[in-house]
Amino acid sequence: MTTTSLEAVIVPRKRGGGRILKQLKGFGWMLVGLAVFLALWQFAASGEESVPTPLDAATTLGELWSDPFANSTNDKGIGLHLYISLQRVFLGFAAAAVVGITLGLLMGAIRPVWQAMNPIVQVLRPVSPLAWFPIWLYIIKDAGVSAVVVVFITALWPTLINTAAGAAAIPRDQRNVAKVFRFGPLAYLWHVLIPNALPLIITGLRLSMGIGWMVIIAAEMLSGNSGIGYFVWNSYNALELDKVVAAIVCIGVIGLALDAVLLRISRRVTLEEVRS
Amino acid sequence: MTIRITGIRKSFKQQDVLRGIDLTIQAGEFVSFIGHSGCGKSTLLNIVGGLTKPDSGSVLVNGQPVTAPGPDRAMVFQNYSLLPWLSLLANVRVAVREARPDWKRERVDEMTERYLTAVSLWEHRNKRPGQVSGGMAQRAAVARAFAVGPRTLLLDEPFGALDALTRSRLQQQLIELWGHESETETVLMVTHGLDEAILLADRIVVMSNPPYQSIRTIIGVPIPRPRHRTTIGHHPAYDEIQQQLVDLLIADHVEELAGAAA
Ligand SMILES: Nc1ncnc2c1ncn2[C@@H]1O[C@H](COP(=O)(O)OP(=O)(O)OP(=O)(O)O)[C@@H](O)[C@H]1O
Ligand SMILES: [Mg+2]
């Protein structure tokens, strides 16, 4: 205890100074990168009248976020569109997580289930999720719900496949322990299968979330009248490319935030496992 | 519990690991298995445990053929095999609860506490396997096996990774647990330690690699119990048994080396 408090007094000041300098340096290089990027953009945009410059985009972004949740019949705010898209992604993602983890555990743990499902999974997985969209639209009739279903299908595969891989790789020792002490299905699930598969399950979820956020935009562009994808497409039709660019920035930032959250969870899980 | 092993054969990819094993172990007997690495000791134990199917032959426990693991035959594995995310307590308790679904909660808890205490781990019960030494993990695995109240215990080098001091203490604990403090009557134990085999066993089964039979010889240990590691060396039979074992194992080894050189 005494050593830690000593350290707390003495070391951080020294190390803290170094760390701040390092962070400043990193920040500096980030600014350099940003400046080069913006300069290239400016250069590319200056030839063509309709292509927005960085300044145009920034101005539009500011305007859009001055009243993000406006909700009149033909002028919904960008915040509202983003919120609707996020809702759809979460719904589809949650359904994919539940189904993907359940089926993945079954596939990984029970050989015949693997053999029955693997060919189907392998064929369906590479199909572009948008190819399904007409089918869902025809069956469901509602573009918003269809978009959720498309997200579900897209997000299903990474979670399913990663979970199955994790559940299939149980160390022989642990399988033997479960056999000798005759673990029932619940104990096997809870104490052997899930803890072993957990790191890969989280990896799968992270991939699913990323891909889901990508595909929702495309799905919303195809049909419907809400969501950030619709916003992009609508702005294009009105030839407001500055709005398109502003939306792209928002999409990128949100995608980054979603990934950061899942990355955090995955780090925690791996740390737990390493510590044990 | 009489264990009757007849005509067991097992090969892995052209390699004849068990080449006809016949052995009957009486209830209450302590039998040690000794032999060079790779001669099939773990394989034989796994077959008796019901984890591995033999190519041919059978294992009868009280006349019943072994087809799967059961709570009457608990195992301690060569590499302790605790579940890394569970505390030592949970490792034992979950195993007992699953192996003995008919036991009441109190009985499960009582057995768990009794054997964790017996191996001096009760104070450390809330630590995970990764937070304790190899010896403590090994002891937890021993406690887990005893706590399910098996009539037969199958031990695969349970003290292999331990320092000499801990090992001798655990050997003593094992004798006591087996002798009167548990329901366990019969013990089959794989070991690399000659001293350990003589100290613990009624009979020592010496196993060999080809060209010999899988069971090279069986040596009886006619030293009366209670035995103690400090005094057992004085018994007139001790040196003779030890010499016999050394000769068998060395002869094997020399032959192996010669084979490798040729
Ligand atoms: N599942 C398996 N698949 C293929 N070969 C195996 C398998 N299990 C054991 N073997 C082989 O069978 C032989 C005997 O293995 P076993 O583990 O029974 O030896 P052992 O006598 O216990 O050795 P050790 O003293 O090193 O533990 C070895 O050559 C090993 O490579
Ligand atoms: Mg072995």
Side-chain angles (χ1 to χ4, degrees):
Chain A
M1 270 285 111
T2 36
T3 47
T4 26
S5 58
L6 260 181
E7 270 174 9
V9 176
I10 299 167
V11 182
R13 202 183 294 156
K14 224 169 122 194
R15 193 179 45 190
R19 200 195 290 154
I20 286 174
L21 200 71
K22 238 184 190 167
Q23 276 178 349
L24 268 179
K25 257 191 190 164
F27 190 68
W29 281 112
M30 193 182 96
L31 288 182
V32 171
L34 204 60
V36 171
F37 176 76
L38 290 177
L40 286 174
W41 178 359
Q42 178 73 35
F43 176 74
S46 55
E48 180 86 38
E49 182 62 29
S50 56
V51 177
T53 62
L55 195 63
D56 297 338
T59 319
T60 310
L61 196 60
E63 276 164 22
L64 286 175
W65 281 96
S66 64
D67 187 11
F69 295 101
N71 193 9
S72 60
T73 23
N74 48 17
D75 185 26
K76 286 192 187 130
I78 189 169
L80 203 60
H81 284 297
L82 283 169
Y83 174 70
I84 289 168
S85 296
L86 273 175
Q87 229 174 6
R88 288 176 181 153
V89 168
F90 278 125
L91 273 177
F93 172 76
V98 171
V99 175
I101 292 173
T102 311
L103 286 183
L105 288 175
L106 284 172
M107 264 179 87
I110 306 167
R111 188 121 192 96
V113 178
W114 178 290
Q115 285 160 334
M117 285 181 49
N118 194 39
I120 303 174
V121 171
Q122 294 306 336
V123 170
L124 292 186
R125 188 174 62 115
V127 175
S128 163
L130 292 172
W132 296 92
F133 194 62
I135 301 180
W136 304 126
L137 204 54
Y138 178 79
I139 298 175
I140 303 171
K141 305 273 188 309
D142 181 288
V145 179
S146 301
V148 171
V149 176
V150 167
V151 170
F152 165 74
I153 302 236
T154 317
L156 181 62
W157 309 122
T159 300
L160 175 65
I161 289 166
N162 277 283
T163 305
I170 309 294
R172 187 208 295 273
D173 295 350
Q174 294 189 22
R175 281 204 309 258
N176 283 344
V177 166
K179 276 191 208 152
V180 165
F181 296 98
R182 303 214 293 188
F183 279 27
L186 271 183
Y188 188 70
L189 181 74
W190 199 242
H191 296 303
V192 180
L193 216 47
I194 291 182
N196 272 299
L198 200 54
L200 271 180
I201 291 179
I202 307 278
T203 304
L205 289 177
R206 199 172 141 220
L207 291 171
S208 288
M209 180 57 97
I211 201 171
W213 182 237
M214 281 197 187
V215 82
I216 186 70
I217 305 206
E220 287 168 344
M221 282 170 88
L222 286 178
S223 161
N225 56 8
S226 62
I228 190 67
Y230 163 79
F231 179 89
V232 167
W233 195 244
N234 202 34
S235 305
Y236 160 72
N237 282 332
L239 281 176
E240 296 170 314
L241 289 191
D242 52 334
K243 281 194 184 175
V244 174
V245 173
I248 287 175
V249 172
C250 297
I251 293 168
V253 169
I254 289 181
L256 185 67
L258 290 176
D259 195 55
V261 170
L262 281 163
L263 186 63
R264 249 198 128 89
I265 298 176
S266 114
R267 289 239 172 92
R268 272 188 79 138
V269 168
T270 353
L271 266 187
E272 283 274 310
E273 304 252 312
V274 168
R275 217 185 309 137
S276 63
Chain B
M1 298 258 288
T2 311
I3 299 174
R4 188 181 298 275
I5 300 169
T6 29
I8 291 282
R9 292 182 162 276
K10 179 78 186 174
S11 21
F12 293 107
K13 306 177 204 122
Q14 326 293 330
Q15 183 190 358
D16 292 325
V17 175
L18 298 179
R19 303 170 298 283
I21 301 254
D22 293 286
L23 181 67
T24 300
I25 296 163
Q26 301 299 337
E29 229 185 334
F30 196 126
V31 178
S32 281
F33 295 80
I34 206 162
H36 287 295
S37 184
C39 68
K41 305 180 295 291
S42 296
T43 306
L44 178 60
L45 218 62
N46 284 343
I47 289 174
V48 176
L51 284 174
T52 304
K53 295 248 173 302
D55 296 340
S56 63
S58 68
V59 177
L60 300 179
V61 174
N62 276 348
Q64 297 295 315
V66 165
T67 52
D72 56 327
R73 284 158 287 130
M75 289 185 84
V76 173
F77 299 95
Q78 197 162 354
N79 39 11
Y80 12 113
S81 309
L82 299 168
L83 299 176
W85 25 78
L86 297 183
S87 67
L88 301 183
L89 178 74
N91 260 290
V92 177
R93 181 162 4 96
V94 168
V96 178
R97 202 177 54 207
E98 295 302 312
R100 297 291 191 182
D102 49 323
W103 284 5
K104 292 224 167 52
R105 218 196 128 93
E106 295 80 56
R107 177 102 194 264
V108 171
D109 289 343
E110 185 216 314
M111 293 293 269
T112 304
E113 182 173 350
R114 185 198 302 179
Y115 289 103
L116 273 174
T117 310
V119 297
S120 332
L121 280 179
W122 188 243
E123 302 94 276
H124 301 289
R125 63 187 177 280
N126 291 322
K127 294 186 180 153
R128 294 196 204 164
Q131 298 168 321
V132 301
S133 67
M136 289 160 85
Q138 194 68 276
R139 269 140 63 192
V142 171
R144 176 175 64 183
F146 270 107
V148 303
R151 308 292 294 280
T152 300
L153 205 54
L154 307 172
L155 307 171
D156 196 350
E157 294 184 43
F159 310 140
L162 303 182
D163 63 281
L165 219 64
T166 318
R167 186 182 309 141
S168 63
R169 221 185 47 233
L170 274 184
Q171 288 165 351
Q172 211 58 45
Q173 276 173 353
L174 178 62
I175 297 184
E176 278 157 24
L177 288 173
W178 166 64
H180 37 89
E181 289 175 26
S182 71
E183 280 135 82
T184 304
E185 324 177 308
T186 312
V187 180
L188 280 65
M189 175 173 179
V190 174
T191 174
H192 272 141
L194 306 186
D195 303 347
E196 182 169 271
I198 303 173
L199 175 67
L200 298 174
D202 297 312
R203 284 191 293 163
I204 301 171
V205 177
V206 182
M207 294 179 66
S208 280
N209 285 311
Y212 299 105
Q213 289 290 308
S214 275
I215 293 187
R216 186 78 177 282
T217 334
I218 299 177
I219 300 176
V221 183
I223 301 178
R225 297 177 193 275
R227 300 174 187 163
H228 201 274
R229 60 174 301 100
T230 49
T231 52
I232 191 170
H234 306 319
H235 194 277
Y238 188 89
D239 286 341
E240 190 193 327
I241 296 169
Q242 194 179 37
Q243 195 53 50
Q244 239 177 314
L245 287 172
V246 169
D247 287 346
L248 282 167
L249 293 172
I250 301 268
D252 247 30
H253 200 58
V254 167
E255 209 134 329
E256 242 171 70
L257 289 178

